[in-house]
Amino acid sequence: MHDLDFEHVHVDPEERAQLSDAIWSADNVELTTVGIDIGSSTSHLMFARVHMQRLATALSSRFVVVDRRILWESPILLTPYLPDYTIDTAKLASFMESCYAGAGLERAAIDSGAVILTGEALKRKNARAIADVFSAESGKFVCASAGHHMEAALAAQGSGTMKLSAERRKTLLNVDIGGGTTKFALVRNGELLATVAIAVGGRLLVEDPEQGLVRIEEPIVDVARSLGVGLSAGKKLAPRERRKIVGRMAEILVAMISRREPDALASRLLVTAGWPKPFLDLKIDAITFSGGVAEYVYGRETRGFGDLGPDLAHALAHAIEDGGLGAPIWDPGHGIRATVTGASQFTVQVSGNTIFIADPASVPLRNLPVLACRIDMNEAVSAAAVERAVRAALALTDFEDGSGPAALAFPWSGDPDHARLHAVASGIAAAVPRTVAAAMPVVLLIDGDVGLTLGRVLHHEVAPGSRVVAIDNVRLNAFEYVDIGTPVAKTRVVPVIIKSLVF
C-alpha cells in the first residue's frame, strides 16, 4: 500500500466525506428558479429546482442541465387590464406575491428566473411597467421579449415538440393556439425549420352572459365582416353567428396547417410572412398542439371563459376526425404551460489573450440575447452565405438590426486563413449595418480559436472603427443570454455569464 512512486496523503473518513462534497460541488450546481409567462390573454408562473452538471470533457467550464423538477405551478390568470387596455401591473404584482406565498418561497431563495413577455405585454408602455414589477430581481432574471417568430419557437420547445421530434427522428408541426394569435413551428429531427403566425386566437372575442360582448379585437372584426356579421360592445351573439365565425377561423387554421396558399382574409390576418416555399411540400409525420386552446383539443379542460376557445377546439376536432389535417395528432406533453420553467446560469472565465475588444468602454454588457447563426464553415465560405445565415438568426428571434447590441454565436471549423476570416467578417457587417453605423457593440461568440484575428479583421478592415467584442472558445445556443464583464486587471481574464432558458 505504500510503494507508490509519488507523494500522497492519507485522509480519514470524515475528511474524505468533506472532500467528496467539495468535488461534487465543483461539478454540480442546484438552482431554484422561476419561469414567468405574461401574455395578452393569460399569465402564469412555475418554480423549479434545476440540477446543472459540468460537462465530462476534461477541463470544461460548460455546465448543462441534467435534471429539472417542478416545485409549484400557479393557477392560470386571465391577464388583468385597466380601462385604457394597458395591463394592470398592480394586480399582476399582487398575483406574483400570492404565488410566492403559495409556493412557500421567499424572493431571496430564488437563484435565477426568466420572464417571457408576449403580445400586449410587449407594447412599450406595458413592458416598462412590467419591468418595474421585477426591477428588484433584474440582476438574476432574464427578460425575453418574444415576438411572433420567437414565441412560435418557444412554444415548440416548451411544449415538448422539439424533443419529441429529435427522439423519434420525425418531422412535426406544432400549432400553438393562444388568445390572440396562432403560431406554427415546423420541426425536423429536433431542428427548427420555419415559423409562421396568424391573428387567429381563442380570446379575440369575449362574451359575458349578462353584458354581451365585452372584448372585440380587430382581427375578429375582419373575420365577422367577411361573413356579414356585425359585432359591437354589449351585443348578444346569436349561436348561428358564433358558429359561422368559429367555422371560418377553423378553415383558416386548417389551410395553414396544410400549408395551402392563404386566401384574401387569411393573407390580411397573417402577422408574419407566409410559409417559405421550400417547406410547402415537406411531408409532416404528425401535428402537435399547444397554447390555451390545446387544453380543449386534448380534453384537459372543459370549463368555458366566455371566449371562443372551446368552440374553436370543437371545430378543429371535426377536421381531425375527418382526416382534414393530413397527419396524425400527437400530444407533446404541455399545452397552455408550453413555456419556460426558469433559467440556469453559470460563469466562464475567458482568457484576454484570445479575445478582441475594440473599445474597452463597450463592456460590461448584460443580458444580450444570443442569436445562433447556422453558418456553413466550408472551405469556400462566402460573405453572402454568412449574411443570409445571420439575417435568418435575426428573423427567428425577432431581433431588429440597430435595436441594441447584437450577440452572434456561431461555430468555426477549418483553416483560419485571411480569405475565410474576411468573408465571415464581411457577411456579418452586411447583415447588421445599422448596429455598426450606430456604433453599438457587435458581439461575436465563436466556438473556435479565431476571436482575436476575426475581431481585428472586422474592426480594422471590413468595418473600420466598429465596436467589436469577439470572444472565442465558447459554445452558445438559441434561448441563451450572456453577460460580458470587464477584463480583470493584470490577468486580462474576462468573466462571461451564460444564462439559458430552461424548458
Side-chain angles (χ1 to χ4, degrees), residues 36-40 43 79-81 86-90 92-93 96 115-138 141 143-145:
I36 303 169
D37 188 312
I38 303 173
S40 298
S43 299
T79 302
Y81 287 92
T86 57
I87 290 176
D88 189 334
T89 52
L92 193 62
M96 299 301 167
V115 183
I116 308 295
L117 305 181
T118 60
E120 291 296 321
L122 277 179
K123 292 186 176 179
R124 182 174 300 175
K125 191 172 182 180
N126 280 329
R128 188 181 301 115
I130 292 168
D132 290 340
V133 174
F134 301 102
S135 59
E137 292 92 352
S138 61
F141 273 39
C143 187
S145 300

mmCIF file of all heavy atoms in Angstrom, residues 36-40 43 79-81 86-90 92-93 96 115-138 141 143-145:
data_model
loop_
_atom_site.group_PDB
_atom_site.id
_atom_site.type_symbol
_atom_site.label_atom_id
_atom_site.label_comp_id
_atom_site.label_asym_id
_atom_site.label_seq_id
_atom_site.Cartn_x
_atom_site.Cartn_y
_atom_site.Cartn_z
ATOM 1 N N ILE A 36 -41.771 32.842 -15.585
ATOM 2 C CA ILE A 36 -42.969 33.693 -15.555
ATOM 3 C C ILE A 36 -43.376 34.023 -16.976
ATOM 4 O O ILE A 36 -42.569 34.530 -17.759
ATOM 5 C CB ILE A 36 -42.704 34.998 -14.763
ATOM 6 C CG1 ILE A 36 -42.238 34.667 -13.339
ATOM 7 C CG2 ILE A 36 -43.940 35.886 -14.729
ATOM 8 C CD1 ILE A 36 -41.713 35.865 -12.566
ATOM 9 N N ASP A 37 -44.613 33.717 -17.321
ATOM 10 C CA ASP A 37 -45.122 33.941 -18.671
ATOM 11 C C ASP A 37 -46.252 34.968 -18.595
ATOM 12 O O ASP A 37 -47.278 34.724 -17.945
ATOM 13 C CB ASP A 37 -45.643 32.625 -19.268
ATOM 14 C CG ASP A 37 -46.017 32.754 -20.734
ATOM 15 O OD1 ASP A 37 -46.721 33.711 -21.081
ATOM 16 O OD2 ASP A 37 -45.621 31.887 -21.525
ATOM 17 N N ILE A 38 -46.051 36.117 -19.229
ATOM 18 C CA ILE A 38 -47.064 37.180 -19.234
ATOM 19 C C ILE A 38 -47.473 37.429 -20.675
ATOM 20 O O ILE A 38 -46.671 37.916 -21.479
ATOM 21 C CB ILE A 38 -46.525 38.477 -18.593
ATOM 22 C CG1 ILE A 38 -46.044 38.201 -17.166
ATOM 23 C CG2 ILE A 38 -47.598 39.558 -18.598
ATOM 24 C CD1 ILE A 38 -45.339 39.368 -16.527
ATOM 25 N N GLY A 39 -48.689 37.070 -21.018
ATOM 26 C CA GLY A 39 -49.164 37.205 -22.384
ATOM 27 C C GLY A 39 -50.390 38.081 -22.489
ATOM 28 O O GLY A 39 -50.901 38.595 -21.489
ATOM 29 N N SER A 40 -50.886 38.227 -23.696
ATOM 30 C CA SER A 40 -52.057 39.062 -23.938
ATOM 31 C C SER A 40 -53.282 38.544 -23.201
ATOM 32 O O SER A 40 -54.089 39.320 -22.684
ATOM 33 C CB SER A 40 -52.372 39.107 -25.433
ATOM 34 O OG SER A 40 -51.315 39.673 -26.158
ATOM 35 N N SER A 43 -51.590 34.681 -17.941
ATOM 36 C CA SER A 43 -50.286 34.763 -17.293
ATOM 37 C C SER A 43 -50.195 33.651 -16.254
ATOM 38 O O SER A 43 -51.202 33.247 -15.676
ATOM 39 C CB SER A 43 -50.093 36.123 -16.610
ATOM 40 O OG SER A 43 -50.164 37.184 -17.549
ATOM 41 N N THR A 79 -54.921 37.591 -17.847
ATOM 42 C CA THR A 79 -54.100 38.803 -17.704
ATOM 43 C C THR A 79 -55.000 40.012 -17.446
ATOM 44 O O THR A 79 -55.892 40.313 -18.249
ATOM 45 C CB THR A 79 -53.256 39.033 -18.966
ATOM 46 O OG1 THR A 79 -52.438 37.866 -19.181
ATOM 47 C CG2 THR A 79 -52.350 40.242 -18.798
ATOM 48 N N PRO A 80 -54.784 40.709 -16.320
ATOM 49 C CA PRO A 80 -55.682 41.823 -15.954
ATOM 50 C C PRO A 80 -55.374 43.098 -16.748
ATOM 51 O O PRO A 80 -54.217 43.435 -16.972
ATOM 52 C CB PRO A 80 -55.390 42.021 -14.468
ATOM 53 C CG PRO A 80 -53.954 41.582 -14.310
ATOM 54 C CD PRO A 80 -53.762 40.460 -15.293
ATOM 55 N N TYR A 81 -56.440 43.793 -17.140
ATOM 56 C CA TYR A 81 -56.292 45.033 -17.904
ATOM 57 C C TYR A 81 -57.018 46.182 -17.216
ATOM 58 O O TYR A 81 -58.030 45.990 -16.533
ATOM 59 C CB TYR A 81 -56.847 44.865 -19.320
ATOM 60 C CG TYR A 81 -55.978 44.020 -20.209
ATOM 61 C CD1 TYR A 81 -56.180 42.646 -20.305
ATOM 62 C CD2 TYR A 81 -54.948 44.582 -20.963
ATOM 63 C CE1 TYR A 81 -55.381 41.855 -21.114
ATOM 64 C CE2 TYR A 81 -54.148 43.805 -21.771
ATOM 65 C CZ TYR A 81 -54.369 42.445 -21.850
ATOM 66 O OH TYR A 81 -53.568 41.667 -22.654
ATOM 67 N N THR A 86 -54.269 48.953 -20.948
ATOM 68 C CA THR A 86 -52.910 48.621 -20.524
ATOM 69 C C THR A 86 -53.024 47.560 -19.428
ATOM 70 O O THR A 86 -54.051 47.457 -18.743
ATOM 71 C CB THR A 86 -52.165 49.847 -19.980
ATOM 72 O OG1 THR A 86 -52.924 50.403 -18.901
ATOM 73 C CG2 THR A 86 -51.982 50.888 -21.063
ATOM 74 N N ILE A 87 -51.977 46.773 -19.278
ATOM 75 C CA ILE A 87 -52.002 45.701 -18.288
ATOM 76 C C ILE A 87 -51.983 46.289 -16.882
ATOM 77 O O ILE A 87 -51.232 47.226 -16.586
ATOM 78 C CB ILE A 87 -50.814 44.741 -18.511
ATOM 79 C CG1 ILE A 87 -51.032 43.947 -19.813
ATOM 80 C CG2 ILE A 87 -50.634 43.785 -17.342
ATOM 81 C CD1 ILE A 87 -49.901 43.033 -20.196
ATOM 82 N N ASP A 88 -52.829 45.763 -16.017
ATOM 83 C CA ASP A 88 -52.923 46.225 -14.636
ATOM 84 C C ASP A 88 -51.770 45.604 -13.848
ATOM 85 O O ASP A 88 -51.868 44.482 -13.340
ATOM 86 C CB ASP A 88 -54.269 45.802 -14.044
ATOM 87 C CG ASP A 88 -54.538 46.428 -12.685
ATOM 88 O OD1 ASP A 88 -53.557 46.768 -11.993
ATOM 89 O OD2 ASP A 88 -55.719 46.570 -12.305
ATOM 90 N N THR A 89 -50.652 46.339 -13.752
ATOM 91 C CA THR A 89 -49.466 45.791 -13.110
ATOM 92 C C THR A 89 -49.642 45.636 -11.595
ATOM 93 O O THR A 89 -48.970 44.801 -10.978
ATOM 94 C CB THR A 89 -48.231 46.661 -13.397
ATOM 95 O OG1 THR A 89 -48.517 48.021 -13.066
ATOM 96 C CG2 THR A 89 -47.857 46.570 -14.868
ATOM 97 N N ALA A 90 -50.537 46.413 -11.001
ATOM 98 C CA ALA A 90 -50.785 46.263 -9.555
ATOM 99 C C ALA A 90 -51.392 44.889 -9.280
ATOM 100 O O ALA A 90 -50.966 44.176 -8.361
ATOM 101 C CB ALA A 90 -51.696 47.371 -9.062
ATOM 102 N N LEU A 92 -51.175 42.355 -11.303
ATOM 103 C CA LEU A 92 -50.169 41.369 -11.713
ATOM 104 C C LEU A 92 -49.160 41.150 -10.589
ATOM 105 O O LEU A 92 -48.806 40.006 -10.267
ATOM 106 C CB LEU A 92 -49.462 41.849 -12.981
ATOM 107 C CG LEU A 92 -48.601 40.839 -13.731
ATOM 108 C CD1 LEU A 92 -49.436 39.677 -14.233
ATOM 109 C CD2 LEU A 92 -47.888 41.519 -14.896
ATOM 110 N N ALA A 93 -48.701 42.237 -9.970
ATOM 111 C CA ALA A 93 -47.741 42.134 -8.862
ATOM 112 C C ALA A 93 -48.357 41.404 -7.676
ATOM 113 O O ALA A 93 -47.695 40.592 -7.015
ATOM 114 C CB ALA A 93 -47.272 43.531 -8.447
ATOM 115 N N MET A 96 -48.311 37.739 -8.391
ATOM 116 C CA MET A 96 -46.971 37.181 -8.205
ATOM 117 C C MET A 96 -46.670 36.973 -6.719
ATOM 118 O O MET A 96 -46.123 35.939 -6.320
ATOM 119 C CB MET A 96 -45.914 38.096 -8.827
ATOM 120 C CG MET A 96 -46.049 38.299 -10.323
ATOM 121 S SD MET A 96 -45.960 36.756 -11.245
ATOM 122 C CE MET A 96 -46.535 37.317 -12.858
ATOM 123 N N VAL A 115 -38.512 35.851 -17.377
ATOM 124 C CA VAL A 115 -39.811 36.487 -17.608
ATOM 125 C C VAL A 115 -40.014 36.563 -19.116
ATOM 126 O O VAL A 115 -39.209 37.167 -19.828
ATOM 127 C CB VAL A 115 -39.869 37.905 -16.999
ATOM 128 C CG1 VAL A 115 -41.259 38.501 -17.185
ATOM 129 C CG2 VAL A 115 -39.498 37.874 -15.528
ATOM 130 N N ILE A 116 -41.071 35.924 -19.601
ATOM 131 C CA ILE A 116 -41.381 35.921 -21.027
ATOM 132 C C ILE A 116 -42.539 36.874 -21.275
ATOM 133 O O ILE A 116 -43.622 36.707 -20.699
ATOM 134 C CB ILE A 116 -41.761 34.508 -21.523
ATOM 135 C CG1 ILE A 116 -40.702 33.489 -21.122
ATOM 136 C CG2 ILE A 116 -41.974 34.515 -23.032
ATOM 137 C CD1 ILE A 116 -39.362 33.704 -21.757
ATOM 138 N N LEU A 117 -42.329 37.886 -22.105
ATOM 139 C CA LEU A 117 -43.374 38.844 -22.454
ATOM 140 C C LEU A 117 -43.806 38.602 -23.896
ATOM 141 O O LEU A 117 -42.964 38.529 -24.800
ATOM 142 C CB LEU A 117 -42.868 40.283 -22.314
ATOM 143 C CG LEU A 117 -42.278 40.705 -20.967
ATOM 144 C CD1 LEU A 117 -41.846 42.165 -21.024
ATOM 145 C CD2 LEU A 117 -43.284 40.491 -19.848
ATOM 146 N N THR A 118 -45.106 38.462 -24.105
ATOM 147 C CA THR A 118 -45.622 38.260 -25.461
ATOM 148 C C THR A 118 -46.850 39.135 -25.685
ATOM 149 O O THR A 118 -47.475 39.615 -24.742
ATOM 150 C CB THR A 118 -46.012 36.782 -25.695
ATOM 151 O OG1 THR A 118 -47.035 36.400 -24.761
ATOM 152 C CG2 THR A 118 -44.819 35.869 -25.516
ATOM 153 N N GLY A 119 -47.179 39.339 -26.943
ATOM 154 C CA GLY A 119 -48.406 40.052 -27.298
ATOM 155 C C GLY A 119 -48.486 41.443 -26.718
ATOM 156 O O GLY A 119 -47.569 42.260 -26.851
ATOM 157 N N GLU A 120 -49.598 41.727 -26.017
ATOM 158 C CA GLU A 120 -49.829 43.053 -25.456
ATOM 159 C C GLU A 120 -48.764 43.422 -24.426
ATOM 160 O O GLU A 120 -48.452 44.592 -24.242
ATOM 161 C CB GLU A 120 -51.220 43.114 -24.805
ATOM 162 C CG GLU A 120 -52.380 43.052 -25.780
ATOM 163 C CD GLU A 120 -52.414 44.243 -26.716
ATOM 164 O OE1 GLU A 120 -52.121 45.366 -26.274
ATOM 165 O OE2 GLU A 120 -52.727 44.046 -27.902
ATOM 166 N N ALA A 121 -48.208 42.418 -23.763
ATOM 167 C CA ALA A 121 -47.185 42.697 -22.741
ATOM 168 C C ALA A 121 -45.930 43.290 -23.345
ATOM 169 O O ALA A 121 -45.123 43.900 -22.641
ATOM 170 C CB ALA A 121 -46.841 41.412 -21.992
ATOM 171 N N LEU A 122 -45.762 43.134 -24.668
ATOM 172 C CA LEU A 122 -44.575 43.655 -25.335
ATOM 173 C C LEU A 122 -44.681 45.147 -25.641
ATOM 174 O O LEU A 122 -43.664 45.783 -25.903
ATOM 175 C CB LEU A 122 -44.356 42.909 -26.662
ATOM 176 C CG LEU A 122 -43.627 41.576 -26.599
ATOM 177 C CD1 LEU A 122 -43.529 40.985 -27.987
ATOM 178 C CD2 LEU A 122 -42.242 41.749 -26.020
ATOM 179 N N LYS A 123 -45.897 45.665 -25.664
ATOM 180 C CA LYS A 123 -46.062 47.076 -26.021
ATOM 181 C C LYS A 123 -45.312 47.951 -25.031
ATOM 182 O O LYS A 123 -45.264 47.669 -23.836
ATOM 183 C CB LYS A 123 -47.544 47.437 -26.070
ATOM 184 C CG LYS A 123 -48.264 46.752 -27.236
ATOM 185 C CD LYS A 123 -49.693 47.209 -27.367
ATOM 186 C CE LYS A 123 -50.336 46.580 -28.610
ATOM 187 N NZ LYS A 123 -51.753 46.981 -28.753
ATOM 188 N N ARG A 124 -44.731 49.022 -25.545
ATOM 189 C CA ARG A 124 -43.757 49.800 -24.785
ATOM 190 C C ARG A 124 -44.254 50.201 -23.402
ATOM 191 O O ARG A 124 -43.571 50.008 -22.406
ATOM 192 C CB ARG A 124 -43.363 51.046 -25.581
ATOM 193 C CG ARG A 124 -42.309 51.898 -24.897
ATOM 194 C CD ARG A 124 -41.857 53.014 -25.799
ATOM 195 N NE ARG A 124 -41.285 52.502 -27.042
ATOM 196 C CZ ARG A 124 -40.897 53.285 -28.044
ATOM 197 N NH1 ARG A 124 -41.029 54.594 -27.954
ATOM 198 N NH2 ARG A 124 -40.381 52.765 -29.133
ATOM 199 N N LYS A 125 -45.468 50.729 -23.325
ATOM 200 C CA LYS A 125 -45.980 51.207 -22.045
ATOM 201 C C LYS A 125 -46.141 50.051 -21.063
ATOM 202 O O LYS A 125 -45.809 50.149 -19.883
ATOM 203 C CB LYS A 125 -47.319 51.915 -22.258
ATOM 204 C CG LYS A 125 -47.829 52.678 -21.045
ATOM 205 C CD LYS A 125 -49.051 53.496 -21.399
ATOM 206 C CE LYS A 125 -49.536 54.297 -20.188
ATOM 207 N NZ LYS A 125 -50.737 55.092 -20.521
ATOM 208 N N ASN A 126 -46.674 48.917 -21.558
ATOM 209 C CA ASN A 126 -46.847 47.746 -20.703
ATOM 210 C C ASN A 126 -45.510 47.174 -20.276
ATOM 211 O O ASN A 126 -45.303 46.830 -19.112
ATOM 212 C CB ASN A 126 -47.643 46.663 -21.440
ATOM 213 C CG ASN A 126 -49.140 46.929 -21.414
ATOM 214 O OD1 ASN A 126 -49.655 47.504 -20.466
ATOM 215 N ND2 ASN A 126 -49.834 46.518 -22.456
ATOM 216 N N ALA A 127 -44.582 47.033 -21.241
ATOM 217 C CA ALA A 127 -43.294 46.409 -20.957
ATOM 218 C C ALA A 127 -42.535 47.191 -19.885
ATOM 219 O O ALA A 127 -41.900 46.608 -18.998
ATOM 220 C CB ALA A 127 -42.467 46.310 -22.231
ATOM 221 N N ARG A 128 -42.592 48.509 -19.966
ATOM 222 C CA ARG A 128 -41.884 49.339 -18.990
ATOM 223 C C ARG A 128 -42.482 49.148 -17.596
ATOM 224 O O ARG A 128 -41.750 49.013 -16.604
ATOM 225 C CB ARG A 128 -41.972 50.817 -19.394
ATOM 226 C CG ARG A 128 -41.100 51.721 -18.536
ATOM 227 C CD ARG A 128 -41.236 53.181 -18.941
ATOM 228 N NE ARG A 128 -40.879 53.393 -20.325
ATOM 229 C CZ ARG A 128 -41.732 53.801 -21.279
ATOM 230 N NH1 ARG A 128 -43.000 54.024 -20.967
ATOM 231 N NH2 ARG A 128 -41.327 53.973 -22.508
ATOM 232 N N ALA A 129 -43.813 49.106 -17.515
ATOM 233 C CA ALA A 129 -44.474 48.934 -16.223
ATOM 234 C C ALA A 129 -44.215 47.544 -15.653
ATOM 235 O O ALA A 129 -43.993 47.380 -14.451
ATOM 236 C CB ALA A 129 -45.978 49.164 -16.375
ATOM 237 N N ILE A 130 -44.221 46.539 -16.515
ATOM 238 C CA ILE A 130 -43.959 45.168 -16.057
ATOM 239 C C ILE A 130 -42.520 45.033 -15.587
ATOM 240 O O ILE A 130 -42.232 44.353 -14.601
ATOM 241 C CB ILE A 130 -44.268 44.156 -17.188
ATOM 242 C CG1 ILE A 130 -45.776 44.136 -17.459
ATOM 243 C CG2 ILE A 130 -43.779 42.764 -16.829
ATOM 244 C CD1 ILE A 130 -46.156 43.406 -18.722
ATOM 245 N N ALA A 131 -41.603 45.698 -16.287
ATOM 246 C CA ALA A 131 -40.196 45.651 -15.885
ATOM 247 C C ALA A 131 -40.022 46.178 -14.467
ATOM 248 O O ALA A 131 -39.189 45.677 -13.696
ATOM 249 C CB ALA A 131 -39.345 46.450 -16.864
ATOM 250 N N ASP A 132 -40.807 47.199 -14.109
ATOM 251 C CA ASP A 132 -40.720 47.762 -12.762
ATOM 252 C C ASP A 132 -41.122 46.733 -11.698
ATOM 253 O O ASP A 132 -40.607 46.752 -10.581
ATOM 254 C CB ASP A 132 -41.610 49.002 -12.637
ATOM 255 C CG ASP A 132 -41.082 50.188 -13.441
ATOM 256 O OD1 ASP A 132 -39.877 50.164 -13.766
ATOM 257 O OD2 ASP A 132 -41.867 51.098 -13.752
ATOM 258 N N VAL A 133 -42.058 45.841 -12.049
ATOM 259 C CA VAL A 133 -42.507 44.812 -11.112
ATOM 260 C C VAL A 133 -41.350 43.902 -10.722
ATOM 261 O O VAL A 133 -41.244 43.436 -9.592
ATOM 262 C CB VAL A 133 -43.661 43.983 -11.731
ATOM 263 C CG1 VAL A 133 -44.035 42.807 -10.823
ATOM 264 C CG2 VAL A 133 -44.877 44.868 -11.981
ATOM 265 N N PHE A 134 -40.437 43.657 -11.680
ATOM 266 C CA PHE A 134 -39.340 42.725 -11.436
ATOM 267 C C PHE A 134 -37.984 43.430 -11.289
ATOM 268 O O PHE A 134 -36.944 42.796 -11.388
ATOM 269 C CB PHE A 134 -39.258 41.717 -12.581
ATOM 270 C CG PHE A 134 -40.517 40.925 -12.766
ATOM 271 C CD1 PHE A 134 -41.404 41.232 -13.784
ATOM 272 C CD2 PHE A 134 -40.826 39.882 -11.898
ATOM 273 C CE1 PHE A 134 -42.572 40.511 -13.943
ATOM 274 C CE2 PHE A 134 -41.987 39.160 -12.060
ATOM 275 C CZ PHE A 134 -42.872 39.467 -13.079
ATOM 276 N N SER A 135 -38.006 44.744 -11.054
ATOM 277 C CA SER A 135 -36.754 45.506 -11.017
ATOM 278 C C SER A 135 -35.818 45.024 -9.915
ATOM 279 O O SER A 135 -34.602 45.045 -10.065
ATOM 280 C CB SER A 135 -37.050 46.997 -10.840
ATOM 281 O OG SER A 135 -37.777 47.221 -9.636
ATOM 282 N N ALA A 136 -36.377 44.552 -8.808
ATOM 283 C CA ALA A 136 -35.529 44.110 -7.691
ATOM 284 C C ALA A 136 -34.723 42.868 -8.057
ATOM 285 O O ALA A 136 -33.656 42.626 -7.497
ATOM 286 C CB ALA A 136 -36.396 43.813 -6.464
ATOM 287 N N GLU A 137 -35.224 42.072 -9.011
ATOM 288 C CA GLU A 137 -34.530 40.847 -9.412
ATOM 289 C C GLU A 137 -33.812 40.999 -10.743
ATOM 290 O O GLU A 137 -33.433 40.011 -11.362
ATOM 291 C CB GLU A 137 -35.522 39.681 -9.523
ATOM 292 C CG GLU A 137 -36.123 39.221 -8.211
ATOM 293 C CD GLU A 137 -37.424 39.924 -7.894
ATOM 294 O OE1 GLU A 137 -37.770 40.875 -8.624
ATOM 295 O OE2 GLU A 137 -38.097 39.529 -6.933
ATOM 296 N N SER A 138 -33.614 42.225 -11.207
ATOM 297 C CA SER A 138 -33.093 42.433 -12.561
ATOM 298 C C SER A 138 -31.742 41.777 -12.778
ATOM 299 O O SER A 138 -31.419 41.356 -13.884
ATOM 300 C CB SER A 138 -33.001 43.930 -12.861
ATOM 301 O OG SER A 138 -32.122 44.563 -11.942
ATOM 302 N N PHE A 141 -32.589 37.848 -13.213
ATOM 303 C CA PHE A 141 -33.678 37.456 -14.099
ATOM 304 C C PHE A 141 -33.320 37.762 -15.545
ATOM 305 O O PHE A 141 -32.697 38.775 -15.853
ATOM 306 C CB PHE A 141 -34.967 38.212 -13.748
ATOM 307 C CG PHE A 141 -35.795 37.539 -12.687
ATOM 308 C CD1 PHE A 141 -35.197 36.924 -11.594
ATOM 309 C CD2 PHE A 141 -37.168 37.521 -12.764
ATOM 310 C CE1 PHE A 141 -35.948 36.315 -10.613
ATOM 311 C CE2 PHE A 141 -37.940 36.915 -11.792
ATOM 312 C CZ PHE A 141 -37.336 36.308 -10.696
ATOM 313 N N CYS A 143 -35.130 38.647 -19.059
ATOM 314 C CA CYS A 143 -36.416 39.096 -19.597
ATOM 315 C C CYS A 143 -36.400 38.881 -21.102
ATOM 316 O O CYS A 143 -35.638 39.523 -21.820
ATOM 317 C CB CYS A 143 -36.660 40.563 -19.273
ATOM 318 S SG CYS A 143 -38.315 41.126 -19.746
ATOM 319 N N ALA A 144 -37.205 37.949 -21.582
ATOM 320 C CA ALA A 144 -37.243 37.615 -23.003
ATOM 321 C C ALA A 144 -38.482 38.225 -23.631
ATOM 322 O O ALA A 144 -39.609 37.868 -23.286
ATOM 323 C CB ALA A 144 -37.246 36.103 -23.196
ATOM 324 N N SER A 145 -38.264 39.188 -24.518
ATOM 325 C CA SER A 145 -39.365 39.805 -25.261
ATOM 326 C C SER A 145 -39.578 38.993 -26.530
ATOM 327 O O SER A 145 -38.756 39.043 -27.445
ATOM 328 C CB SER A 145 -39.026 41.263 -25.593
ATOM 329 O OG SER A 145 -38.813 41.999 -24.402
#
